[in-house]
Amino acid sequence: MSPQEHYLRTHLQPLILREYAGLLKPEHLVFQQTRKDFSGDITLVLFGPAKRLSMNPLAFGERTRIFLGTLSFEGQPLVESSEIVQGFLNISLSAHFWMHAHQEGSRPTPNISGKKLLVEFASPNTNKPLHLGHIRNILLGMAVSRLSEEAGDEVVRVQVINDRGIHICKSMLAWEKFGQGETPQSSGLKGDHLVGKYYVRFDVEWRRQTEERKDGGMDARTAKDHAPILLEAQQMLRDWEVGVPGVRALWQSMNGWVYSGFDQTHQRLGSFFDRNYYESETYVLGRDQVLDGLARGVFERDPDGSVWANLTGAGLDRKVLLRSDGTSVYITQDIGTAIERQKEWNTDEMTYVVGNEQDYHFKVLFLVLQRLGYEWASRCHHLSYGMVDLPSGRMKSREGTVVDADDLMDEMVAAARDKSEFSEKLMELSEGDKTILFNQVGMAALKYFILKVDPQKRMVFHPEESIDLQGHTGPFIQYAHARACAVLRKAESIGIGASVLATAALPSDIKLTERELMRQLSGYRESIFASHTHKNPSLLCQYAYDLAGLYNRFYHDCPILTPETTDESRLFRLYLSQEAARVLKRSLFVLGIEAPDRM
RNA sequence: GAUCCCGUAGCUCAAUGGAUAGAGCAACUGCCUUCUAAGCAGUAGGUUACUGGUUCGACCCCAGUCGGGAUCGCCA
């Protein structure tokens, strides 16, 4: 809740108790920011309360309006003006109040919540490099983590790396057959890309064999499912499982290449983990829990020996948990991992950042955990996000339309460089500093592009057009910040530094833009809170964009260091610049975006 | 077939059940000899897929229809 709303609610309480006791409660009041076309800061919607009181909205509004007129804030009238328009009470609060409110609301909650959350994200396979889909996942995971931290929680970041299975065997086999000993060192290829190359190579060979056999008269299904290279890969998986030393050694070295590649990508993205889980270690987990559940009658066993959870009562299907041969399936492992992790970290909440194609899987998983009697299952949350599509539809590795994460970052950074490499403003920067800057700007464009969209929704990425550095973008917000920094630098150079700014006070007269800037600043904490509770970074994106836009307008409307500006206004405007810069930088930080001082 | 998600300007996206549905891109018009023009100001662009319903009020909630996507494996 914003400071202004909180203040009004609190101070309207006496009126409510006195006049409307029993009929109206403070929570029945609905406030919203006043729309642009009307004058006012905050608006009380009159319809709801009026209805509860069986009153005319106008009458209720007028009585409230008069009461508000009697309120004071630190010895001065709280309300500057107010008017009722069509069932809305528009209230302008005093500049004096805004001076207080923006300081109050623009800082994160000071106290630690004591809550510990676990966020699982990224969770790649080790047979190919990361792509745009992973980027969305990772950025969401990092952003919700930071949001939680900003809201006062402790966060544990983890990922589960799918390092075993037929997919990695395919890469390994193809490398053995066609690789001629190629390594990242020998070829200069990034490790994950090298392994991905052999995954593709496998597929090419597999298709070749399939076609060859189809031409030989075999039916398509058999040709594909019994192609020699696939059989070899399956044999390799069996060898891996029993621990054949050669296979294990190759597996370790190829996975090692992939991890060093992933590390580079994560470093550029600014993502990190407190703990990695490897499926090669966790895939055996969960079996015991399932058997235990079976013994307790939570699950049922079919005649063929397979074990099932019957979820039909909850509107879902029956779900197999153990195969008839007693081995685990995917969800078995997830059950085991969740339980293990809860033991290890004892968190208050677990969030899984996973694409919405697994919505059903997580419904089942949480329900099964609940049936097993784990009360914390109700605090598990699937942060489901939509796919990133291309204009042509879904990315398909078969058709080579997958947007590679590293390539994409390179392109964004190159676009940032193209835009301003020869800009006069950056003349004094060294080449090294420019490189850092263009990285910051390019990555900001990419991250903001992803994060500004509601996670739940599918989004479309245009390879050419989406590389945008103007308008509703990350660089726009960075730019507002850099602008403010430039003013502050200049001020400092003429002797108005931070210590002087600390003495800034409200001038006798302020412009609308200055007031709006204070109002926007006052909404920071509320924005963090909303983004955090809804696990939706796009809300914070919108907030930061609005703040940046407002600062740009302020910058345009309110000259600061010019002679005609009075001393008190100059000081105040510098102070507002400092505050805007601070909150912009903080917002960007939570979103995982850097805020350069000049650009 | 069943279930879930989505459908808003030419394009990409906003809008706790509240006022005349907002931004950006693309198009067009202005604004740099003055603190950063990656900016500011403006023009144009809409039957919120469609049909009903709920109510003081619906892009939002409910029912149905149409379109797009996903899931429903002893795959992961």
Side-chain angles (χ1 to χ4, degrees), chain A residues 112-117 148 152-155 347-349 532:
Chain A
I112 302 302
S113 71
K115 268 168 72 178
K116 185 154 77 172
L117 318 181
S148 297
D153 300 337
E154 184 189 343
V155 176
T347 55
D348 298 289
E349 272 179 44
H532 167 243

Side-chain angles (χ1 to χ4, degrees), chain A residues 449-485:
Chain A
F449 174 80
I450 300 281
L451 289 174
K452 76 172 176 184
V453 180
D454 184 338
Q456 185 183 228
K457 296 197 176 177
R458 281 173 54 199
M459 59 184 295
V460 179
F461 177 80
H462 288 80
E464 304 304 323
E465 302 162 37
S466 293
I467 300 181
D468 212 334
L469 307 171
Q470 284 174 22
H472 192 180
T473 65
F476 176 93
I477 300 168
Q478 288 180 316
Y479 183 73
H481 170 264
R483 252 184 166 174
C485 287

Side-chain angles (χ1 to χ4, degrees), chain A residues 308-473:
Chain A
W308 296 76
N310 188 343
L311 307 174
T312 48
L316 305 176
D317 293 327
R318 268 168 43 103
K319 177 75 187 178
V320 70
L321 302 177
L322 287 178
R323 296 190 185 99
S324 50
D325 66 5
T327 56
S328 296
V329 291
Y330 180 62
I331 197 166
T332 320
Q333 168 193 172
D334 260 3
I335 294 166
T337 305
I339 294 166
E340 197 75 2
R341 256 184 345 208
Q342 186 58 22
K343 276 190 204 147
E344 183 176 346
W345 299 101
N346 191 29
T347 55
D348 298 289
E349 272 179 44
M350 273 197 226
T351 297
Y352 293 80
V353 184
V354 180
N356 61 11
E357 57 208 344
Q358 293 198 38
D359 285 355
Y360 184 77
H361 170 78
F362 282 102
K363 262 187 202 165
V364 171
L365 174 64
F366 298 157
L367 196 52
V368 165
L369 286 169
Q370 216 151 36
R371 295 248 170 122
L372 280 170
Y374 295 104
E375 55 84 30
W376 47 262
S378 62
R379 299 192 306 276
C380 287
H381 180 254
H382 174 206
L383 173 47
S384 164
Y385 63 91
M387 299 291 103
V388 184
D389 289 330
L390 300 170
S392 55
R394 208 174 171 170
M395 294 190 290
K396 294 197 180 79
S397 49
R398 268 291 178 77
E399 295 165 20
T401 56
V402 173
V403 179
D404 179 77
D406 298 314
D407 293 348
L408 179 57
M409 290 190 283
D410 288 343
E411 284 172 43
M412 301 300 287
V413 171
R417 179 178 284 277
D418 285 349
K419 180 160 179 61
S420 52
E421 180 155 29
F422 303 108
S423 159
E424 280 183 33
K425 289 182 283 186
L426 305 178
M427 279 310 177
E428 50 193 273
L429 291 186
S430 69
E431 272 313 307
D433 286 345
K434 278 188 190 175
T435 298
I436 290 170
L437 176 63
F438 299 142
N439 262 291
Q440 292 174 324
V441 173
M443 291 305 297
L446 175 57
K447 290 179 176 182
Y448 192 86
F449 174 80
I450 300 281
L451 289 174
K452 76 172 176 184
V453 180
D454 184 338
Q456 185 183 228
K457 296 197 176 177
R458 281 173 54 199
M459 59 184 295
V460 179
F461 177 80
H462 288 80
E464 304 304 323
E465 302 162 37
S466 293
I467 300 181
D468 212 334
L469 307 171
Q470 284 174 22
H472 192 180
T473 65

Side-chain angles (χ1 to χ4, degrees), chain A residues 131-151:
Chain A
H131 57 71
L132 182 49
H134 292 111
I135 290 186
R136 189 175 197 190
N137 182 304
I138 290 165
L139 295 181
L140 281 171
M142 282 302 294
V144 296
S145 298
R146 284 246 163 76
L147 275 166
S148 297
E149 287 168 343
E150 186 74 345

Side-chain angles (χ1 to χ4, degrees), chain A residues 76-272:
Chain A
Q76 295 180 34
L78 171 70
V79 175
E80 197 172 88
S81 65
S82 59
E83 85 183 304
I84 296 169
V85 184
Q86 296 175 22
F88 298 88
L89 174 57
N90 298 331
I91 305 159
S92 296
L93 299 170
S94 70
H96 192 64
F97 177 81
W98 286 117
M99 196 62 192
H100 157 81
H102 88 270
Q103 286 167 345
E104 164 76 18
S106 68
R107 290 167 197 285
T109 351
N111 47 340
I112 302 302
S113 71
K115 268 168 72 178
K116 185 154 77 172
L117 318 181
L118 182 142
V119 181
E120 176 191 311
F121 60 101
S123 303
N125 291 353
T126 55
N127 61 330
K128 48 179 181 266
L130 303 178
H131 57 71
L132 182 49
H134 292 111
I135 290 186
R136 189 175 197 190
N137 182 304
I138 290 165
L139 295 181
L140 281 171
M142 282 302 294
V144 296
S145 298
R146 284 246 163 76
L147 275 166
S148 297
E149 287 168 343
E150 186 74 345
D153 300 337
E154 184 189 343
V155 176
V156 181
R157 294 159 172 82
V158 305
Q159 64 174 335
V160 179
I161 298 172
N162 186 1
D163 61 340
R164 65 166 282 278
I166 191 73
H167 61 88
I168 182 68
C169 289
K170 288 177 177 176
S171 295
M172 286 157 60
L173 186 62
W175 182 87
E176 252 182 8
K177 284 183 174 308
F178 312 111
Q180 299 174 313
E182 180 180 8
T183 67
Q185 291 73 30
S186 75
S187 63
L189 210 55
K190 195 160 166 279
D192 49 339
H193 288 261
L194 190 151
V195 171
K197 175 175 143 187
Y198 286 99
Y199 186 70
V200 172
R201 186 67 185 83
F202 175 93
D203 213 56
V204 168
E205 179 62 15
W206 187 16
R207 256 181 298 172
R208 196 192 62 76
Q209 291 186 1
T210 304
E211 288 307 316
E212 198 175 87
R213 291 149 57 85
K214 266 176 16 193
D215 291 346
M218 195 177 280
D219 73 279
R221 187 63 174 270
T222 316
K224 192 173 184 228
D225 292 353
H226 298 279
I229 195 160
L230 181 64
L231 298 181
E232 274 187 84
Q234 286 164 343
Q235 181 57 45
M236 192 178 241
L237 180 58
R238 283 188 291 273
D239 288 346
W240 180 89
E241 289 194 355
V242 298
V244 172
V247 173
R248 284 284 178 152
L250 178 60
W251 173 73
Q252 289 219 303
S253 84
M254 287 183 74
N255 271 341
W257 298 342
V258 171
Y259 297 145
S260 72
F262 284 173
D263 284 349
Q264 286 180 45
T265 305
H266 280 301
Q267 190 150 13
R268 292 185 75 183
L269 283 169
S271 42
F272 56 88

